[in-house]
Amino acid sequence: MFVDEVVIKLIAGKGGDGCTSFRREKFIPLGGPNGGNGGKGADIIFEVEKGLKTLIDLKYRKQIKGDKGVNGKGSDKHGAKAEDVIVKVPEGTTLIDQDTGLVICDLVKEGDSFVVCHGGRGGRGNKAFATQENPAPKMSEYGEPGEERVIKCELKMLADVGLVGMPSVGKSTILSLISGANPKIAAYHFTTLSPNLGVVKLKDQRVFVMADLPGLIEGASEGAGLGERFLKHAMRTKVVGHVIDMGAFEGRNPIDDYKAIRKEIENYDEKLARKPELIIANKMDLPNAKENLSKFKNEFPDLNIIEISAMNREGIDKMIMMLADMLDEAELEPLYEETSYESHVIYKFKNEKPYTITRDDEGVWIIKGAEIEKLFRMTKFEEDEGVRRFARKLRGMGVDDELERLGAEKGDDVQILDYIFTFKD
């Protein structure tokens, strides 16, 4: 089964918990702290594997979760880092954040890899909190939660030449003649249900990859037929080979066919419309082909046209040479603008608080903010020093002052995540 789009949830590993521990030796009854730090949680890394051609391995995985780092122990023993999760994908896989719509990474060639979700750092043991003022802290941290995100994996296959055109114009036959590919060929529409790739080798030792894409119909760019799903696979090509049934075997008009397909390509993406194009006038062995070609050239005098008959294997070598020459001169335009990548988004920081405070209908003050929620999850509330540190951090962030400014009074309920506290002066 050919699968080229998958949406999946990723949860990187949580960091291991820090340890609260003290030296306990026979002649040192009040030894210092020796609690170790937790290990880092597992990263989730996407990596290209050359042999893969589909995303089917991810289709039935609704969620990928990394392991937690190992907890720290006493005697200064730090926890081990969790083993990273490596997700293998085909060449040409793009990862997009579902919430922002921004491109996380574009994995194009073998060996490309990217850390999509980072594992949480290990929580610090009590030895890490020791200071001159407090040489024996009785507190440690839980591990940091791993990153979570929902992503869309989108495969845009790698090919130098993409064959486009109406159904049953001979794209699959052409690919089978000039490469080692064996696409399904039959006398009915939509024989090609997924892109087929073939490697073309010329006598002068030049080599290129050709993709036979499923037939387009009018409205394809809006989802009609099969074409809209596969137009994206033409995006990575350098040259578009537009195959037209010049013999009008099914009673269609070649001029109308070309205009319809060009309209769908232009509606789909301007970059695709700008790619160098070779018109492959197929079925020139049919009776009306020469007359139709003459009308076609009068209508489109500036187009680059090659005449062939795939059935009779005529014009094939010349077509291959023309495509190879066009490839030599063509430059691959970047698939995505720099501003489409989340790594290039410029965040304009304003003097805004890293949290929000609202009040619900029952009078509960609700505090939200990534930094506060992370601090909350890493605090061990069973340890008094940990609780005091948490309160100190909130005061330092201005939470107490903001609550008072908004009208909070002693005894009011304050909620962070699913937990409720009592506000005190």
Side-chain angles (χ1 to χ4, degrees):
M1 181 187 296
F2 181 75
V3 177
D4 58 1
E5 284 188 12
V6 173
V7 175
I8 193 165
K9 183 175 183 179
L10 307 178
I11 306 175
K14 178 180 179 291
D17 301 335
C19 174
T20 302
S21 174
F22 295 88
R23 291 171 59 194
R24 293 289 184 267
E25 299 178 24
K26 185 173 182 180
F27 300 107
I28 310 178
L30 298 175
N34 68 353
N37 302 332
K40 182 178 177 297
D43 293 336
I44 299 179
I45 302 171
F46 279 66
E47 183 176 277
V48 170
E49 183 165 300
K50 193 172 180 64
L52 294 178
K53 301 298 181 186
T54 172
L55 296 172
I56 192 170
D57 291 344
L58 298 179
K59 181 175 176 61
Y60 302 106
R61 298 178 69 178
K62 302 299 182 185
Q63 177 175 291
I64 296 176
K65 188 173 183 179
D67 291 334
K68 176 185 173 183
V70 178
N71 295 338
K73 297 181 180 179
S75 302
D76 299 322
K77 293 180 180 178
H78 299 309
K81 177 184 181 297
E83 186 175 350
D84 293 334
V85 178
I86 309 296
V87 182
K88 301 290 187 178
V89 293
E91 294 173 304
T93 300
T94 302
L95 306 183
I96 301 170
D97 188 285
Q98 280 288 86
D99 293 331
T100 64
L102 294 173
V103 176
I104 302 168
C105 61
D106 192 25
L107 304 174
V108 177
K109 59 183 183 298
E110 185 178 12
D112 282 358
S113 64
F114 195 86
V115 181
V116 182
C117 273
H118 292 82
R121 71 168 175 83
R124 289 172 289 181
N126 64 331
K127 184 175 181 179
F129 287 100
T131 62
Q132 276 191 319
E133 292 76 19
N134 185 11
K138 298 178 181 178
M139 61 164 285
S140 56
E141 290 177 319
Y142 288 122
E144 179 185 24
E147 288 184 339
E148 295 186 23
R149 67 197 316 179
V150 178
I151 68 166
K152 178 182 180 182
C153 305
E154 190 173 85
L155 174 61
K156 293 184 172 74
M157 295 177 68
L158 295 176
D160 299 302
V161 177
L163 296 181
V164 302
M166 290 286 186
S168 301
V169 293
K171 300 186 299 298
S172 297
T173 303
I174 292 171
L175 184 67
S176 69
L177 290 175
I178 65 177
S179 75
N182 294 299
K184 184 178 180 182
I185 300 172
Y188 55 84
H189 282 349
F190 302 127
T191 308
T192 303
L193 300 178
S194 63
N196 294 300
L197 291 180
V199 178
V200 182
K201 297 180 181 179
L202 283 74
K203 295 178 181 178
D204 60 10
Q205 304 305 312
R206 286 184 291 179
V207 178
F208 62 86
V209 177
M210 178 179 282
D212 157 32
L213 304 179
L216 303 178
I217 63 174
E218 192 167 355
S221 60
E222 299 174 355
L226 300 175
E228 187 271 340
R229 281 188 56 209
F230 300 109
L231 268 170
K232 61 173 172 275
H233 294 292
M235 291 299 296
R236 292 194 194 276
T237 61
K238 292 182 180 179
V239 173
V240 173
H242 194 146
V243 184
I244 295 177
D245 174 8
M246 205 57 71
F249 179 71
E250 296 185 343
R252 292 199 302 251
N253 186 315
I255 293 174
D256 293 341
D257 281 1
Y258 178 74
K259 287 181 177 179
I261 298 301
R262 282 300 304 180
K263 180 180 178 183
E264 299 308 319
I265 289 174
E266 290 164 4
N267 288 344
Y268 183 76
D269 194 285
E270 290 182 4
K271 288 184 178 179
L272 181 55
R274 290 197 299 266
K275 291 183 183 293
E277 179 185 54
L278 176 64
I279 304 301
I280 302 173
N282 192 21
K283 305 187 182 181
M284 291 303 298
D285 54 293
L286 295 180
N288 297 325
K290 292 293 184 182
E291 182 182 349
N292 289 336
L293 179 60
S294 177
K295 294 177 181 178
F296 190 89
K297 287 181 176 180
N298 288 334
E299 182 75 17
F300 308 107
D302 298 327
L303 292 180
N304 198 8
I305 303 173
I306 176 69
E307 302 175 36
I308 72 165
S309 170
M311 179 67 68
N312 297 334
R313 303 192 176 209
E314 296 173 354
I316 298 297
D317 290 341
K318 186 177 179 182
M319 178 195 71
I320 295 173
M321 291 297 294
M322 288 184 68
L323 289 171
D325 291 342
M326 291 174 70
L327 285 171
D328 289 341
E329 298 178 3
E331 293 184 5
L332 186 60
E333 191 175 358
L335 193 58
Y336 302 101
E337 303 293 339
E338 286 192 2
T339 52
S340 298
Y341 286 87
E342 63 179 21
S343 58
H344 286 81
V345 173
I346 299 174
Y347 294 95
K348 296 181 179 179
F349 291 99
K350 299 179 180 178
N351 294 323
E352 296 177 352
K353 296 180 175 62
Y355 56 84
T356 59
I357 301 177
T358 57
R359 197 173 194 184
D360 65 14
D361 296 337
E362 297 178 358
V364 178
W365 298 96
I366 300 173
I367 302 175
K368 292 183 178 181
E371 189 175 344
I372 288 178
E373 291 169 8
K374 183 174 78 171
L375 176 65
F376 178 85
R377 288 190 173 102
M378 296 180 70
T379 298
K380 294 184 176 180
F381 286 97
E382 65 272 21
E383 297 176 343
D384 290 341
E385 285 191 29
V387 174
R388 289 196 291 272
R389 177 175 177 268
F390 179 76
R392 206 163 50 244
K393 288 278 189 180
L394 291 191
R395 280 197 299 274
M397 295 170 69
V399 173
D400 290 6
D401 292 341
E402 183 66 10
L403 282 168
E404 289 180 359
R405 187 187 71 80
L406 293 172
E409 298 179 354
K410 183 178 180 180
D412 283 356
D413 289 334
V414 178
Q415 180 176 337
I416 300 176
L417 296 175
D418 295 329
Y419 296 84
I420 294 179
F421 306 86
T422 301
F423 181 64
K424 297 181 179 179
D425 293 336

